[in-house]
Amino acid sequence: MRVELLFWDGCPSHPRALAELRRAMAEMGLDPSAIVVREVQTEAGAARERFVGSPTIRIDGVDVQQPPGEEPFGLTCRVYYRRDGRISPTPDPADVRDALAVARAAAATAPDRHATPD
């Protein structure tokens, strides 16, 4: 499972998002030190990464909370909607846990790429 946190340094919420992500992983028995943290520094990088704002958390390339509609790519702060309707600078922890659980289940049922045929 690949867990990534992408951020733009101009947005102050990425440390909180990283702390919440680490906490969610630890609660699920996953290794928080495996998180790949990457800074997006340019508009070209934002387009290349399909970065819709900071912070963005992806599990196996899938955003933990898909942005609504056609969000533009760019260096901006991201807004999330919590399950209770509140607006937040970080994703709802329940969405993060759900995304981690889906990825873990998919990994558990995927064929072992390292297995040798009989």
Side-chain angles (χ1 to χ4, degrees):
M1 171 184 335
R2 181 171 173 84
V3 180
E4 300 174 287
L5 184 138
L6 285 75
F7 73 97
W8 168 54
D9 197 44
C11 189
S13 58
H14 64 276
R16 176 178 159 192
L18 181 58
E20 291 174 356
L21 177 58
R22 285 180 175 150
R23 185 170 29 260
M25 290 183 71
E27 288 171 358
M28 295 180 69
L30 300 169
D31 180 8
S33 70
I35 299 168
V36 176
V37 179
R38 295 188 296 126
E39 181 178 5
V40 179
Q41 298 179 331
T42 65
E43 291 292 339
R48 184 175 51 255
E49 291 288 344
R50 305 182 61 78
F51 181 71
V52 295
S54 180
T56 290
I57 298 172
R58 295 180 184 157
I59 314 294
D60 290 336
V62 179
D63 200 308
V64 298
Q65 192 180 86
Q66 291 295 327
E70 292 294 320
E71 289 292 313
F73 306 129
L75 300 179
T76 186
C77 293
R78 190 162 174 183
V79 173
Y80 289 91
Y81 295 92
R82 297 281 173 125
R83 291 182 178 188
D84 64 7
R86 290 180 297 145
I87 295 174
S88 173
T90 61
D92 192 305
D95 290 338
V96 173
R97 285 189 303 272
D98 285 355
L100 289 166
V102 166
R104 182 168 54 184
T109 60
D112 184 356
R113 292 180 292 181
H114 301 290
T116 57
D118 292 334

